[in-house]
Amino acid sequence: MEKIKHSWSPDGRKKYDRIPVAEYPSKVVLGIQEDYCNLACPMCMVHGTNKEPSFNIKDVATSVMPMENIIKIMDEVKGSSMISPGYFVEPLVITNIKDVLRAAKERGVPITMVTNGLLISKTMAEFLVDHVSVISVSIDATTKETLVKTRTTSRLQRIQEAVFLLLEKRGSNQSPRITVNFTIQDANRHERDDFLQFWIQHVDAVRINEMYTYERGADNLVVTRDRTPCREIYDQMNIDFNGNVLMCCVDGFRQTNLGNVFRDGVYNVWHGEGFSAVRKNHEEGNYDAQQLLPIVRALGQLHYF
């Protein structure tokens, strides 16, 4: 999002000029099959061991996004949007993930995927390299002892091998872009520098960010600049399994609904009343107008190397 001009309201709030909205979001997240993940990472508010005790995703995600609706979304956004399969789950547990990726490739719709790497075999690596534009592997550790604390698995070697399998299958090609992720938390903070120094030699980028918790906060968050309108509400649409559009990429509890694309289509929801109201509130500095908005500042603490 380009730098935007601002002014001040009488009550001291910083107000921003109207921010242009593209015809379609640059990224569409599809919550195709959200009721199961192959890990229970403590940081995950939906499937993790440290999630909200009263929340059970199986009570919420009661069906799978129909393939005909997935194709309809792809047909509408092709030429404008990148698609990311999986909202709060490992995308490779999605039963028909290969069908989804094939359909995207047939339509020229680029796919970006964040994975824990555990389900990437040689054949899967070949398939992903042929069908995905960006692959990000979340690791969060340099030792298996730490990985147990951050991801509830000790299979660090398997995950590392998955990254190198992807690199091997890509060969000298420029695509897909292959990156790794490290989410900082108390259990792995001491390994941050070693992680960066090791992986930056091998992959296209290393992403390091703070942990977001189910209490709706980010560990050790330090805000060093004035708050600005959230980039995501101008760039990204999060579509749940039933077509409902969630306002924020961290709305794992499904507390918001800006419209339904199965009923109204992507364009109409993207330019509809729900999104327009959220954007207007951000531009006017009314960040508390929607329930989730106070926590969006946690998303700004991302670092790329």
Side-chain angles (χ1 to χ4, degrees), residues 185-198:
Q185 45 201 290
D186 289 341
N188 69 359
R189 195 174 303 276
H190 62 289
E191 295 183 356
R192 174 190 182 278
D193 291 345
D194 288 343
F195 182 92
L196 174 59
Q197 291 172 14
F198 175 77

Side-chain angles (χ1 to χ4, degrees), residues 257-294:
N257 183 4
L258 301 183
N260 188 285
V261 299
F262 293 174
R263 180 184 64 241
D264 300 321
V266 174
Y267 180 90
N268 289 331
V269 174
W270 185 241
H271 296 277
E273 292 183 5
F275 265 113
S276 297
V278 173
R279 294 176 186 130
K280 183 175 184 291
N281 283 321
H282 268 223
E283 290 159 9
E284 295 182 350
N286 295 322
Y287 296 110
D288 294 335
Q290 277 81 29
Q291 184 176 7
L292 275 179
L293 293 184

Side-chain angles (χ1 to χ4, degrees), residues 214-248:
Y214 81 81
E215 293 94 344
R216 302 171 182 79
D219 284 354
N220 298 286
L221 177 64
V222 177
V223 179
T224 58
R225 57 178 171 81
D226 291 335
R227 189 170 183 183
T228 59
C230 178
R231 180 181 62 186
E232 183 174 312
I233 57 177
Y234 301 91
D235 290 346
Q236 179 170 312
M237 177 181 282
N238 308 295
I239 306 175
D240 213 1
F241 67 97
N242 55 5
N244 288 344
V245 174
L246 307 166
M247 183 180 73
C248 182

